Amino acid sequence: MTQHLKLLLDCPVVIAAVLVCGIGGTFQYGYSMSVMTSPSDFIKELVNKTCEHRYGLSLEPWQLSLIWSFTVSIFCIGGLLGSLAAGPLASKFGRKRCLLLNNFVAMFGAVLMLLSKTAMSFEMIMAGRFLYGINSGFSLLLHVMYLIECTPRKLKSMVGVTVGSFMSLGKFTGQLLGISELLGTETLWPWLLGFSGFIALFQLLTLFFLPESPSFLLLDRGDHQACEQALKQLWGNKDYSREVEEMLEEKAALQNVRNYSVLELIQNKTVRWQLMTVCVMFTTIQLCGVNAVYFYSFDVFRAAGIPEDKLRYAALGTGLCEVSTTVACFTIIERTGKKALLFRGYTGMSLVLILLTITVYLQTQVSWMPYCSMVLIFLFIFFFASGPVGVTPPLPGDVFAQAFRSAAYTIAWTINWGGLFLLGMVFPIIVEKLDYFCFLIFLFFCLGCAIYVKFNVPETKNKTPLEIAAEFEKMHCKPKLKDFTEKKVSGIISYETKL
């Protein structure tokens, strides 16, 4: 780990890219996910006042609940649209340019949020949430893609974990700024919702000084000189000839092969295991039960004797646990490996979900059982943050070559947004019908993913997409096909020119 950390410190521009992309990337997603909890009562009050002022109408509770649910869920619709558009635009115009322009979407959304209370318009909050969703859909995909392509191969695993770290940091910041001592007040809540605009402005002003992705410049634009200039700016005077050689090998394998669409990627049988792995990972990250655990944390903390007015501060502890664990994951991933972190994470989460179901069931019968549930909640967040949340986001860039990468990211984040929207609509019904036994549903996904990782996913640390493709082939083809597999490594996609 010390060797990799020293190598990272020798690349200050890469560190700057990590910070700039993280703050304007997955941080925005995490912040938007958590920020609506604190001002919910104030926003609902604004909805009521708006309807009374315009129409002289006092809303029924179910009508208010419906408007509130739509206001929260429209973020996912915007995110889905952003993810679908981000891949093709990134391949055509470049990662950096799309990231720069994407910040204007967030800033416009922030203006709507800031003016919503003054204009007495809850529709402006809906529109702002929709724009925030588009911004997050773009930034989730482009942040990961740009950062991985700007990083030396030896540091890709370590830097990739920062994607999840900034996501967790965004969630925690939304929780922190939402407390009543900061921006979670009746007068300041529009500034809480508009905070994302200032983050977007920061990225807009700083990202301008960073280079375009070297991989995009060489493989998509065919500009060898610009690629070397970008690598020199990012990595300094280090010897990056090996990385350039690997990109040229990939370019040779992709000669006469254009970037593939989502449909073409789905139809391509040669990368079916990579695609299946991405689909399994991104489905499970949404259906692993972390939202259910966060949801029940308030009941558990309340049962443990924490006063009602202190519950929000206890919830800050869960966010802080997630942030600190993802940072710790950053320090161990190079030694442990991605496959091991995923397997241990989902296995640990499965065990915790079983125990949590038992302890929540018994918490009204045994006086000390809520304390066990509280420990298990933090333990679940620890396992979640120590593997899945850090390893999953950069996975499409790890296992797919350049021609498939944009389409792979589009599919991955579409699954993410679709799962998030579905969970938001169905989860309240699941909780109402099953109560704490809903943990058993999420147990199925966690345990199934752990088994899939154990037997179907190779280690991807410090390997090129071509080497990873060979590992997938070795795991899933018969021994007699070994010669064919070895031959396929040198030109894993060359046969695509026939299509």
Side-chain angles (χ1 to χ4, degrees), residues 85-121:
L89 291 177
S91 296
K92 184 175 182 179
F93 299 108
R95 287 57 161 143
K96 177 183 171 181
R97 186 179 299 177
C98 288
L99 280 170
L100 287 170
L101 295 176
N102 186 43
N103 289 302
F104 289 102
V105 178
M107 289 190 288
F108 186 50
V111 171
L112 293 175
M113 294 292 194
L114 290 170
L115 297 178
S116 60
K117 184 180 179 183
T118 304
M120 198 174 289
S121 172

Side-chain angles (χ1 to χ4, degrees), residues 226-432:
C227 172
E228 290 195 342
Q229 289 176 349
L231 287 172
K232 185 175 181 180
Q233 183 179 349
L234 286 164
W235 303 351
N237 294 321
K238 296 180 179 58
D239 181 17
Y240 45 78
S241 58
R242 178 56 189 159
E243 278 78 5
V244 174
E245 183 180 340
E246 289 174 354
M247 283 191 283
L248 289 173
E249 289 175 358
E250 187 173 336
K251 183 177 177 63
L254 295 170
Q255 193 171 7
N256 300 323
V257 179
R258 54 181 171 73
N259 285 319
Y260 281 83
S261 68
V262 170
L263 182 59
E264 289 170 334
L265 174 58
I266 294 173
Q267 293 174 339
N268 194 305
K269 296 181 180 180
T270 61
V271 290
R272 63 186 182 278
W273 282 106
Q274 290 94 314
L275 180 60
M276 189 181 300
T277 298
V278 167
C279 291
V280 169
M281 294 297 110
F282 276 80
T283 299
T284 308
I285 199 72
Q286 284 299 335
L287 302 179
C288 64
V290 67
N291 293 317
V293 170
Y294 273 116
F295 177 85
Y296 272 97
S297 63
F298 281 89
D299 290 337
V300 170
F301 293 150
R302 192 179 291 112
I306 297 176
E308 195 71 27
D309 60 334
K310 303 296 183 184
L311 287 177
R312 188 164 294 168
Y313 303 102
L316 280 177
T318 61
L320 186 60
C321 175
E322 185 174 333
V323 173
S324 58
T325 306
T326 56
V327 173
C329 181
F330 170 83
T331 63
I332 66 171
I333 189 168
E334 290 295 345
R335 182 176 68 251
T336 307
K338 296 183 178 183
K339 178 176 180 176
L341 287 177
L342 281 172
F343 178 71
R344 294 176 188 177
Y346 281 120
T347 302
M349 290 162 67
S350 300
L351 180 60
V352 170
L353 286 175
I354 295 173
L355 297 176
L356 193 58
T357 303
I358 297 172
T359 57
V360 173
Y361 175 75
L362 295 175
Q363 73 178 9
T364 58
Q365 304 174 34
V366 182
S367 60
W368 47 266
M369 198 60 70
Y371 300 100
C372 295
S373 299
M374 192 161 55
V375 172
L376 289 171
I377 285 174
F378 282 97
L379 194 59
F380 183 90
I381 294 171
F382 168 80
F383 282 118
F384 173 73
S386 65
V389 78
V391 176
T392 302
L395 189 63
D398 290 338
V399 301
F400 282 101
Q402 185 80 2
F404 297 110
R405 202 164 287 159
S406 294
Y409 275 115
T410 300
I411 292 174
W413 290 112
T414 298
I415 292 173
N416 178 80
W417 287 107
L420 186 62
F421 180 78
L422 179 65
L423 194 64
M425 299 300 293
V426 176
F427 180 66
I429 301 174
I430 295 176
V431 172
E432 182 181 351

